[in-house]
Amino acid sequence: MELPLALPGLDRLMGLCQRLNLRLETLPPAREPPRAGSSLEGLPFDPVLASVYARLGYAAFATELIGIGWILDRSDDQVHELEENNKRWREKWWEELGEPVIVFGGDIYTYATVPGLADQWGRQPVVEVNTQEFDGPHVLPVASNVDRFFDSYSRYLEALVADSRYQESGEKELIFPWDAADILARDEPLVELMRSGRFDSLMKNMKESNATRRWFAKVTGHPE
């Protein structure tokens, strides 16, 4: 039996929520959670995500922060949200995206792994997908793998709670990933994927945005 991977990023996020008294909800995993490499809508299931679901059937992080909190799609013996959401995404969004993805959570926006960009160990990078724009899905790369996403998101929450505007009035001025470029820039495999243009096809609806170009330059260290 394959042992689950260590998940220091997930551990950091859960510990941070407890330390900062941010809402944290979890449910136990399914008796038979999704396995690394197993097929989900015809795509290989990410090994890091498989390790997450080996530990948790569901999780919600900092969901009292409206528009900021993050929820892991539920997949256990009672609820099959992960599977149902991916079936719907295959039918509705894959063609518009131009790249098949495995969605696994989010809040206002959806987060997904990209099997076609997996590294030599099968670990898939993570993107944020906004499907609410009139010109089609807007996609931003946010991590080189799922656990690195949890690590970066925890550091973003840490910066948000430390921000003077949040401390004084509860205003949530820092938005992930737009205001987390310096955090994402520490994820070297992600930066290399971005520099080499591996996300270009997914970002086709955002290429002309000045804001996107500035953000991209901050993450990759390349001038506009």
PDB file of all heavy atoms in Angstrom, residues 6-44:
ATOM      1  N   ALA A   6       4.057  13.430   2.998  1.00  0.00           N
ATOM      2  CA  ALA A   6       4.042  14.461   4.038  1.00  0.00           C
ATOM      3  C   ALA A   6       3.438  15.729   3.452  1.00  0.00           C
ATOM      4  O   ALA A   6       3.638  16.044   2.273  1.00  0.00           O
ATOM      5  CB  ALA A   6       5.464  14.714   4.530  1.00  0.00           C
ATOM      6  N   LEU A   7       2.710  16.473   4.277  1.00  0.00           N
ATOM      7  CA  LEU A   7       2.016  17.678   3.821  1.00  0.00           C
ATOM      8  C   LEU A   7       2.316  18.853   4.757  1.00  0.00           C
ATOM      9  O   LEU A   7       1.447  19.337   5.488  1.00  0.00           O
ATOM     10  CB  LEU A   7       0.500  17.424   3.758  1.00  0.00           C
ATOM     11  CG  LEU A   7       0.044  16.312   2.803  1.00  0.00           C
ATOM     12  CD1 LEU A   7      -1.413  15.975   3.057  1.00  0.00           C
ATOM     13  CD2 LEU A   7       0.265  16.734   1.348  1.00  0.00           C
ATOM     14  N   PRO A   8       3.559  19.347   4.738  1.00  0.00           N
ATOM     15  CA  PRO A   8       3.906  20.451   5.647  1.00  0.00           C
ATOM     16  C   PRO A   8       3.111  21.717   5.381  1.00  0.00           C
ATOM     17  O   PRO A   8       2.835  22.493   6.315  1.00  0.00           O
ATOM     18  CB  PRO A   8       5.401  20.663   5.396  1.00  0.00           C
ATOM     19  CG  PRO A   8       5.652  20.078   4.032  1.00  0.00           C
ATOM     20  CD  PRO A   8       4.708  18.918   3.923  1.00  0.00           C
ATOM     21  N   GLY A   9       2.727  21.964   4.135  1.00  0.00           N
ATOM     22  CA  GLY A   9       1.940  23.152   3.833  1.00  0.00           C
ATOM     23  C   GLY A   9       0.555  23.075   4.451  1.00  0.00           C
ATOM     24  O   GLY A   9       0.058  24.059   5.031  1.00  0.00           O
ATOM     25  N   LEU A  10      -0.090  21.932   4.327  1.00  0.00           N
ATOM     26  CA  LEU A  10      -1.400  21.738   4.949  1.00  0.00           C
ATOM     27  C   LEU A  10      -1.287  21.835   6.463  1.00  0.00           C
ATOM     28  O   LEU A  10      -2.130  22.464   7.120  1.00  0.00           O
ATOM     29  CB  LEU A  10      -1.975  20.382   4.543  1.00  0.00           C
ATOM     30  CG  LEU A  10      -3.321  20.007   5.160  1.00  0.00           C
ATOM     31  CD1 LEU A  10      -4.404  21.013   4.788  1.00  0.00           C
ATOM     32  CD2 LEU A  10      -3.728  18.595   4.740  1.00  0.00           C
ATOM     33  N   ASP A  11      -0.244  21.229   7.040  1.00  0.00           N
ATOM     34  CA  ASP A  11      -0.041  21.315   8.485  1.00  0.00           C
ATOM     35  C   ASP A  11       0.133  22.774   8.919  1.00  0.00           C
ATOM     36  O   ASP A  11      -0.401  23.189   9.955  1.00  0.00           O
ATOM     37  CB  ASP A  11       1.187  20.506   8.898  1.00  0.00           C
ATOM     38  CG  ASP A  11       0.970  19.003   8.755  1.00  0.00           C
ATOM     39  OD1 ASP A  11      -0.187  18.569   8.792  1.00  0.00           O
ATOM     40  OD2 ASP A  11       1.977  18.279   8.602  1.00  0.00           O
ATOM     41  N   ARG A  12       0.862  23.549   8.119  1.00  0.00           N
ATOM     42  CA  ARG A  12       1.073  24.959   8.459  1.00  0.00           C
ATOM     43  C   ARG A  12      -0.241  25.725   8.418  1.00  0.00           C
ATOM     44  O   ARG A  12      -0.525  26.544   9.298  1.00  0.00           O
ATOM     45  CB  ARG A  12       2.083  25.586   7.505  1.00  0.00           C
ATOM     46  CG  ARG A  12       2.525  26.978   7.927  1.00  0.00           C
ATOM     47  CD  ARG A  12       3.495  27.619   6.935  1.00  0.00           C
ATOM     48  NE  ARG A  12       4.180  28.746   7.544  1.00  0.00           N
ATOM     49  CZ  ARG A  12       3.657  29.951   7.709  1.00  0.00           C
ATOM     50  NH1 ARG A  12       2.428  30.197   7.295  1.00  0.00           N
ATOM     51  NH2 ARG A  12       4.348  30.905   8.295  1.00  0.00           N
ATOM     52  N   LEU A  13      -1.044  25.477   7.392  1.00  0.00           N
ATOM     53  CA  LEU A  13      -2.319  26.176   7.266  1.00  0.00           C
ATOM     54  C   LEU A  13      -3.247  25.835   8.428  1.00  0.00           C
ATOM     55  O   LEU A  13      -3.877  26.731   9.014  1.00  0.00           O
ATOM     56  CB  LEU A  13      -2.967  25.818   5.928  1.00  0.00           C
ATOM     57  CG  LEU A  13      -4.357  26.401   5.667  1.00  0.00           C
ATOM     58  CD1 LEU A  13      -4.358  27.921   5.771  1.00  0.00           C
ATOM     59  CD2 LEU A  13      -4.864  25.955   4.290  1.00  0.00           C
ATOM     60  N   MET A  14      -3.342  24.578   8.783  1.00  0.00           N
ATOM     61  CA  MET A  14      -4.208  24.181   9.888  1.00  0.00           C
ATOM     62  C   MET A  14      -3.703  24.758  11.210  1.00  0.00           C
ATOM     63  O   MET A  14      -4.492  25.268  12.023  1.00  0.00           O
ATOM     64  CB  MET A  14      -4.290  22.655   9.960  1.00  0.00           C
ATOM     65  CG  MET A  14      -4.963  22.038   8.738  1.00  0.00           C
ATOM     66  SD  MET A  14      -4.999  20.218   8.738  1.00  0.00           S
ATOM     67  CE  MET A  14      -6.217  19.925  10.025  1.00  0.00           C
ATOM     68  N   GLY A  15      -2.388  24.724  11.410  1.00  0.00           N
ATOM     69  CA  GLY A  15      -1.817  25.287  12.628  1.00  0.00           C
ATOM     70  C   GLY A  15      -2.015  26.788  12.712  1.00  0.00           C
ATOM     71  O   GLY A  15      -2.288  27.338  13.796  1.00  0.00           O
ATOM     72  N   LEU A  16      -1.900  27.471  11.578  1.00  0.00           N
ATOM     73  CA  LEU A  16      -2.087  28.916  11.554  1.00  0.00           C
ATOM     74  C   LEU A  16      -3.529  29.279  11.916  1.00  0.00           C
ATOM     75  O   LEU A  16      -3.767  30.209  12.689  1.00  0.00           O
ATOM     76  CB  LEU A  16      -1.749  29.465  10.173  1.00  0.00           C
ATOM     77  CG  LEU A  16      -1.877  30.975  10.028  1.00  0.00           C
ATOM     78  CD1 LEU A  16      -0.642  31.671  10.579  1.00  0.00           C
ATOM     79  CD2 LEU A  16      -2.106  31.380   8.585  1.00  0.00           C
ATOM     80  N   CYS A  17      -4.495  28.563  11.355  1.00  0.00           N
ATOM     81  CA  CYS A  17      -5.901  28.838  11.672  1.00  0.00           C
ATOM     82  C   CYS A  17      -6.146  28.670  13.171  1.00  0.00           C
ATOM     83  O   CYS A  17      -6.845  29.490  13.789  1.00  0.00           O
ATOM     84  CB  CYS A  17      -6.815  27.912  10.881  1.00  0.00           C
ATOM     85  SG  CYS A  17      -6.934  28.310   9.118  1.00  0.00           S
ATOM     86  N   GLN A  18      -5.564  27.648  13.768  1.00  0.00           N
ATOM     87  CA  GLN A  18      -5.732  27.438  15.205  1.00  0.00           C
ATOM     88  C   GLN A  18      -5.050  28.541  16.004  1.00  0.00           C
ATOM     89  O   GLN A  18      -5.618  29.076  16.962  1.00  0.00           O
ATOM     90  CB  GLN A  18      -5.185  26.062  15.584  1.00  0.00           C
ATOM     91  CG  GLN A  18      -5.999  24.914  14.988  1.00  0.00           C
ATOM     92  CD  GLN A  18      -5.338  23.570  15.174  1.00  0.00           C
ATOM     93  OE1 GLN A  18      -4.111  23.464  15.322  1.00  0.00           O
ATOM     94  NE2 GLN A  18      -6.124  22.505  15.152  1.00  0.00           N
ATOM     95  N   ARG A  19      -3.845  28.923  15.597  1.00  0.00           N
ATOM     96  CA  ARG A  19      -3.091  29.939  16.338  1.00  0.00           C
ATOM     97  C   ARG A  19      -3.737  31.317  16.254  1.00  0.00           C
ATOM     98  O   ARG A  19      -3.754  32.072  17.235  1.00  0.00           O
ATOM     99  CB  ARG A  19      -1.657  29.995  15.789  1.00  0.00           C
ATOM    100  CG  ARG A  19      -0.784  31.076  16.430  1.00  0.00           C
ATOM    101  CD  ARG A  19       0.683  30.864  16.116  1.00  0.00           C
ATOM    102  NE  ARG A  19       0.984  30.874  14.704  1.00  0.00           N
ATOM    103  CZ  ARG A  19       1.209  31.989  14.001  1.00  0.00           C
ATOM    104  NH1 ARG A  19       1.134  33.174  14.582  1.00  0.00           N
ATOM    105  NH2 ARG A  19       1.524  31.910  12.716  1.00  0.00           N
ATOM    106  N   LEU A  20      -4.297  31.655  15.079  1.00  0.00           N
ATOM    107  CA  LEU A  20      -4.901  32.978  14.894  1.00  0.00           C
ATOM    108  C   LEU A  20      -6.405  32.967  15.168  1.00  0.00           C
ATOM    109  O   LEU A  20      -7.082  33.968  14.936  1.00  0.00           O
ATOM    110  CB  LEU A  20      -4.642  33.469  13.465  1.00  0.00           C
ATOM    111  CG  LEU A  20      -3.177  33.665  13.082  1.00  0.00           C
ATOM    112  CD1 LEU A  20      -3.062  34.169  11.652  1.00  0.00           C
ATOM    113  CD2 LEU A  20      -2.480  34.620  14.047  1.00  0.00           C
ATOM    114  N   ASN A  21      -6.906  31.846  15.642  1.00  0.00           N
ATOM    115  CA  ASN A  21      -8.323  31.716  15.964  1.00  0.00           C
ATOM    116  C   ASN A  21      -9.209  31.962  14.741  1.00  0.00           C
ATOM    117  O   ASN A  21     -10.267  32.598  14.836  1.00  0.00           O
ATOM    118  CB  ASN A  21      -8.722  32.667  17.106  1.00  0.00           C
ATOM    119  CG  ASN A  21     -10.010  32.241  17.786  1.00  0.00           C
ATOM    120  OD1 ASN A  21     -10.335  31.048  17.835  1.00  0.00           O
ATOM    121  ND2 ASN A  21     -10.756  33.204  18.292  1.00  0.00           N
ATOM    122  N   LEU A  22      -8.766  31.479  13.587  1.00  0.00           N
ATOM    123  CA  LEU A  22      -9.566  31.506  12.375  1.00  0.00           C
ATOM    124  C   LEU A  22     -10.335  30.186  12.277  1.00  0.00           C
ATOM    125  O   LEU A  22      -9.849  29.145  12.697  1.00  0.00           O
ATOM    126  CB  LEU A  22      -8.669  31.679  11.143  1.00  0.00           C
ATOM    127  CG  LEU A  22      -7.866  32.969  11.087  1.00  0.00           C
ATOM    128  CD1 LEU A  22      -6.870  32.940   9.927  1.00  0.00           C
ATOM    129  CD2 LEU A  22      -8.770  34.189  10.974  1.00  0.00           C
ATOM    130  N   ARG A  23     -11.514  30.247  11.712  1.00  0.00           N
ATOM    131  CA  ARG A  23     -12.374  29.067  11.672  1.00  0.00           C
ATOM    132  C   ARG A  23     -11.707  27.926  10.911  1.00  0.00           C
ATOM    133  O   ARG A  23     -11.189  28.110   9.812  1.00  0.00           O
ATOM    134  CB  ARG A  23     -13.708  29.427  11.020  1.00  0.00           C
ATOM    135  CG  ARG A  23     -14.748  28.292  11.076  1.00  0.00           C
ATOM    136  CD  ARG A  23     -16.036  28.750  10.438  1.00  0.00           C
ATOM    137  NE  ARG A  23     -16.600  29.878  11.163  1.00  0.00           N
ATOM    138  CZ  ARG A  23     -17.382  30.803  10.618  1.00  0.00           C
ATOM    139  NH1 ARG A  23     -17.654  30.746   9.316  1.00  0.00           N
ATOM    140  NH2 ARG A  23     -17.870  31.790  11.339  1.00  0.00           N
ATOM    141  N   LEU A  24     -11.744  26.757  11.506  1.00  0.00           N
ATOM    142  CA  LEU A  24     -11.188  25.551  10.881  1.00  0.00           C
ATOM    143  C   LEU A  24     -12.171  24.416  11.093  1.00  0.00           C
ATOM    144  O   LEU A  24     -12.509  24.082  12.237  1.00  0.00           O
ATOM    145  CB  LEU A  24      -9.834  25.207  11.494  1.00  0.00           C
ATOM    146  CG  LEU A  24      -9.198  23.878  11.057  1.00  0.00           C
ATOM    147  CD1 LEU A  24      -8.896  23.884   9.565  1.00  0.00           C
ATOM    148  CD2 LEU A  24      -7.938  23.594  11.867  1.00  0.00           C
ATOM    149  N   GLU A  25     -12.655  23.830  10.013  1.00  0.00           N
ATOM    150  CA  GLU A  25     -13.575  22.696  10.084  1.00  0.00           C
ATOM    151  C   GLU A  25     -13.000  21.560   9.243  1.00  0.00           C
ATOM    152  O   GLU A  25     -12.544  21.789   8.122  1.00  0.00           O
ATOM    153  CB  GLU A  25     -14.955  23.078   9.542  1.00  0.00           C
ATOM    154  CG  GLU A  25     -15.603  24.255  10.246  1.00  0.00           C
ATOM    155  CD  GLU A  25     -16.881  24.684   9.542  1.00  0.00           C
ATOM    156  OE1 GLU A  25     -17.597  23.801   9.017  1.00  0.00           O
ATOM    157  OE2 GLU A  25     -17.138  25.896   9.489  1.00  0.00           O
ATOM    158  N   THR A  26     -13.053  20.355   9.777  1.00  0.00           N
ATOM    159  CA  THR A  26     -12.582  19.189   9.015  1.00  0.00           C
ATOM    160  C   THR A  26     -13.519  18.003   9.245  1.00  0.00           C
ATOM    161  O   THR A  26     -14.226  17.942  10.256  1.00  0.00           O
ATOM    162  CB  THR A  26     -11.158  18.765   9.422  1.00  0.00           C
ATOM    163  OG1 THR A  26     -11.151  18.372  10.801  1.00  0.00           O
ATOM    164  CG2 THR A  26     -10.164  19.908   9.219  1.00  0.00           C
ATOM    165  N   LEU A  27     -13.508  17.083   8.289  1.00  0.00           N
ATOM    166  CA  LEU A  27     -14.216  15.815   8.421  1.00  0.00           C
ATOM    167  C   LEU A  27     -13.236  14.691   8.077  1.00  0.00           C
ATOM    168  O   LEU A  27     -12.307  14.889   7.291  1.00  0.00           O
ATOM    169  CB  LEU A  27     -15.413  15.771   7.477  1.00  0.00           C
ATOM    170  CG  LEU A  27     -16.602  16.681   7.833  1.00  0.00           C
ATOM    171  CD1 LEU A  27     -17.640  16.643   6.723  1.00  0.00           C
ATOM    172  CD2 LEU A  27     -17.224  16.275   9.163  1.00  0.00           C
ATOM    173  N   PRO A  28     -13.443  13.504   8.647  1.00  0.00           N
ATOM    174  CA  PRO A  28     -12.524  12.394   8.371  1.00  0.00           C
ATOM    175  C   PRO A  28     -12.628  11.927   6.926  1.00  0.00           C
ATOM    176  O   PRO A  28     -13.621  12.183   6.240  1.00  0.00           O
ATOM    177  CB  PRO A  28     -12.972  11.302   9.349  1.00  0.00           C
ATOM    178  CG  PRO A  28     -14.390  11.645   9.675  1.00  0.00           C
ATOM    179  CD  PRO A  28     -14.481  13.140   9.633  1.00  0.00           C
ATOM    180  N   PRO A  29     -11.598  11.226   6.448  1.00  0.00           N
ATOM    181  CA  PRO A  29     -11.577  10.783   5.044  1.00  0.00           C
ATOM    182  C   PRO A  29     -12.531   9.625   4.797  1.00  0.00           C
ATOM    183  O   PRO A  29     -13.053   8.990   5.723  1.00  0.00           O
ATOM    184  CB  PRO A  29     -10.127  10.346   4.847  1.00  0.00           C
ATOM    185  CG  PRO A  29      -9.700   9.894   6.209  1.00  0.00           C
ATOM    186  CD  PRO A  29     -10.380  10.829   7.177  1.00  0.00           C
ATOM    187  N   ALA A  30     -12.734   9.354   3.517  1.00  0.00           N
ATOM    188  CA  ALA A  30     -13.490   8.172   3.115  1.00  0.00           C
ATOM    189  C   ALA A  30     -12.708   6.908   3.478  1.00  0.00           C
ATOM    190  O   ALA A  30     -11.489   6.942   3.654  1.00  0.00           O
ATOM    191  CB  ALA A  30     -13.750   8.208   1.612  1.00  0.00           C
ATOM    192  N   ARG A  31     -13.418   5.807   3.578  1.00  0.00           N
ATOM    193  CA  ARG A  31     -12.725   4.534   3.833  1.00  0.00           C
ATOM    194  C   ARG A  31     -11.803   4.185   2.671  1.00  0.00           C
ATOM    195  O   ARG A  31     -10.745   3.579   2.873  1.00  0.00           O
ATOM    196  CB  ARG A  31     -13.749   3.423   4.059  1.00  0.00           C
ATOM    197  CG  ARG A  31     -14.410   3.460   5.425  1.00  0.00           C
ATOM    198  CD  ARG A  31     -15.553   2.468   5.518  1.00  0.00           C
ATOM    199  NE  ARG A  31     -16.666   2.857   4.663  1.00  0.00           N
ATOM    200  CZ  ARG A  31     -17.825   2.204   4.593  1.00  0.00           C
ATOM    201  NH1 ARG A  31     -17.996   1.103   5.321  1.00  0.00           N
ATOM    202  NH2 ARG A  31     -18.794   2.615   3.796  1.00  0.00           N
ATOM    203  N   GLU A  32     -12.193   4.585   1.461  1.00  0.00           N
ATOM    204  CA  GLU A  32     -11.349   4.387   0.285  1.00  0.00           C
ATOM    205  C   GLU A  32     -11.240   5.712  -0.464  1.00  0.00           C
ATOM    206  O   GLU A  32     -11.954   5.950  -1.434  1.00  0.00           O
ATOM    207  CB  GLU A  32     -11.935   3.295  -0.611  1.00  0.00           C
ATOM    208  CG  GLU A  32     -11.943   1.923   0.027  1.00  0.00           C
ATOM    209  CD  GLU A  32     -12.381   0.838  -0.939  1.00  0.00           C
ATOM    210  OE1 GLU A  32     -12.458   1.122  -2.151  1.00  0.00           O
ATOM    211  OE2 GLU A  32     -12.638  -0.289  -0.479  1.00  0.00           O
ATOM    212  N   PRO A  33     -10.336   6.579  -0.028  1.00  0.00           N
ATOM    213  CA  PRO A  33     -10.194   7.886  -0.685  1.00  0.00           C
ATOM    214  C   PRO A  33      -9.570   7.744  -2.071  1.00  0.00           C
ATOM    215  O   PRO A  33      -9.008   6.682  -2.402  1.00  0.00           O
ATOM    216  CB  PRO A  33      -9.252   8.642   0.263  1.00  0.00           C
ATOM    217  CG  PRO A  33      -8.471   7.574   0.956  1.00  0.00           C
ATOM    218  CD  PRO A  33      -9.410   6.417   1.106  1.00  0.00           C
ATOM    219  N   PRO A  34      -9.647   8.769  -2.904  1.00  0.00           N
ATOM    220  CA  PRO A  34      -9.025   8.712  -4.239  1.00  0.00           C
ATOM    221  C   PRO A  34      -7.537   8.412  -4.127  1.00  0.00           C
ATOM    222  O   PRO A  34      -6.840   8.951  -3.262  1.00  0.00           O
ATOM    223  CB  PRO A  34      -9.267  10.120  -4.796  1.00  0.00           C
ATOM    224  CG  PRO A  34     -10.405  10.672  -3.995  1.00  0.00           C
ATOM    225  CD  PRO A  34     -10.292  10.065  -2.640  1.00  0.00           C
ATOM    226  N   ARG A  35      -7.047   7.558  -4.997  1.00  0.00           N
ATOM    227  CA  ARG A  35      -5.649   7.153  -4.974  1.00  0.00           C
ATOM    228  C   ARG A  35      -4.848   7.918  -6.020  1.00  0.00           C
ATOM    229  O   ARG A  35      -5.378   8.313  -7.063  1.00  0.00           O
ATOM    230  CB  ARG A  35      -5.519   5.650  -5.228  1.00  0.00           C
ATOM    231  CG  ARG A  35      -6.152   4.796  -4.146  1.00  0.00           C
ATOM    232  CD  ARG A  35      -6.105   3.316  -4.527  1.00  0.00           C
ATOM    233  NE  ARG A  35      -4.738   2.847  -4.699  1.00  0.00           N
ATOM    234  CZ  ARG A  35      -3.974   2.391  -3.711  1.00  0.00           C
ATOM    235  NH1 ARG A  35      -4.465   2.338  -2.475  1.00  0.00           N
ATOM    236  NH2 ARG A  35      -2.747   1.978  -3.935  1.00  0.00           N
ATOM    237  N   ALA A  36      -3.579   8.105  -5.747  1.00  0.00           N
ATOM    238  CA  ALA A  36      -2.693   8.762  -6.704  1.00  0.00           C
ATOM    239  C   ALA A  36      -2.697   8.016  -8.024  1.00  0.00           C
ATOM    240  O   ALA A  36      -2.544   6.791  -8.062  1.00  0.00           O
ATOM    241  CB  ALA A  36      -1.270   8.816  -6.146  1.00  0.00           C
ATOM    242  N   GLY A  37      -2.914   8.743  -9.107  1.00  0.00           N
ATOM    243  CA  GLY A  37      -2.903   8.143 -10.428  1.00  0.00           C
ATOM    244  C   GLY A  37      -4.205   7.507 -10.856  1.00  0.00           C
ATOM    245  O   GLY A  37      -4.347   7.121 -12.019  1.00  0.00           O
ATOM    246  N   SER A  38      -5.174   7.390  -9.925  1.00  0.00           N
ATOM    247  CA  SER A  38      -6.471   6.840 -10.310  1.00  0.00           C
ATOM    248  C   SER A  38      -7.181   7.821 -11.240  1.00  0.00           C
ATOM    249  O   SER A  38      -6.860   9.011 -11.275  1.00  0.00           O
ATOM    250  CB  SER A  38      -7.328   6.557  -9.073  1.00  0.00           C
ATOM    251  OG  SER A  38      -7.598   7.758  -8.359  1.00  0.00           O
ATOM    252  N   SER A  39      -8.154   7.337 -11.984  1.00  0.00           N
ATOM    253  CA  SER A  39      -8.810   8.154 -12.998  1.00  0.00           C
ATOM    254  C   SER A  39      -9.980   8.933 -12.410  1.00  0.00           C
ATOM    255  O   SER A  39     -10.839   8.366 -11.733  1.00  0.00           O
ATOM    256  CB  SER A  39      -9.301   7.272 -14.141  1.00  0.00           C
ATOM    257  OG  SER A  39      -9.995   8.038 -15.100  1.00  0.00           O
ATOM    258  N   LEU A  40      -9.993  10.235 -12.657  1.00  0.00           N
ATOM    259  CA  LEU A  40     -11.129  11.092 -12.315  1.00  0.00           C
ATOM    260  C   LEU A  40     -11.499  11.844 -13.587  1.00  0.00           C
ATOM    261  O   LEU A  40     -10.724  12.675 -14.063  1.00  0.00           O
ATOM    262  CB  LEU A  40     -10.783  12.060 -11.185  1.00  0.00           C
ATOM    263  CG  LEU A  40     -11.915  12.998 -10.738  1.00  0.00           C
ATOM    264  CD1 LEU A  40     -13.121  12.199 -10.248  1.00  0.00           C
ATOM    265  CD2 LEU A  40     -11.430  13.943  -9.637  1.00  0.00           C
ATOM    266  N   GLU A  41     -12.648  11.529 -14.147  1.00  0.00           N
ATOM    267  CA  GLU A  41     -13.068  12.078 -15.434  1.00  0.00           C
ATOM    268  C   GLU A  41     -11.992  11.881 -16.512  1.00  0.00           C
ATOM    269  O   GLU A  41     -11.730  12.749 -17.340  1.00  0.00           O
ATOM    270  CB  GLU A  41     -13.443  13.555 -15.302  1.00  0.00           C
ATOM    271  CG  GLU A  41     -14.658  13.811 -14.442  1.00  0.00           C
ATOM    272  CD  GLU A  41     -15.904  13.095 -14.951  1.00  0.00           C
ATOM    273  OE1 GLU A  41     -16.143  13.115 -16.169  1.00  0.00           O
ATOM    274  OE2 GLU A  41     -16.630  12.505 -14.122  1.00  0.00           O
ATOM    275  N   GLY A  42     -11.334  10.721 -16.448  1.00  0.00           N
ATOM    276  CA  GLY A  42     -10.330  10.369 -17.447  1.00  0.00           C
ATOM    277  C   GLY A  42      -8.960  10.973 -17.220  1.00  0.00           C
ATOM    278  O   GLY A  42      -8.067  10.807 -18.057  1.00  0.00           O
ATOM    279  N   LEU A  43      -8.770  11.657 -16.080  1.00  0.00           N
ATOM    280  CA  LEU A  43      -7.490  12.301 -15.772  1.00  0.00           C
ATOM    281  C   LEU A  43      -6.822  11.615 -14.586  1.00  0.00           C
ATOM    282  O   LEU A  43      -7.505  11.137 -13.672  1.00  0.00           O
ATOM    283  CB  LEU A  43      -7.706  13.783 -15.436  1.00  0.00           C
ATOM    284  CG  LEU A  43      -8.322  14.657 -16.517  1.00  0.00           C
ATOM    285  CD1 LEU A  43      -8.577  16.052 -15.975  1.00  0.00           C
ATOM    286  CD2 LEU A  43      -7.414  14.715 -17.743  1.00  0.00           C
ATOM    287  N   PRO A  44      -5.477  11.583 -14.556  1.00  0.00           N
ATOM    288  CA  PRO A  44      -4.781  10.974 -13.416  1.00  0.00           C
ATOM    289  C   PRO A  44      -4.891  11.866 -12.176  1.00  0.00           C
ATOM    290  O   PRO A  44      -4.626  13.065 -12.233  1.00  0.00           O
ATOM    291  CB  PRO A  44      -3.329  10.874 -13.895  1.00  0.00           C
ATOM    292  CG  PRO A  44      -3.198  11.967 -14.926  1.00  0.00           C
ATOM    293  CD  PRO A  44      -4.544  12.062 -15.595  1.00  0.00           C
TER     294      PRO A  44
END
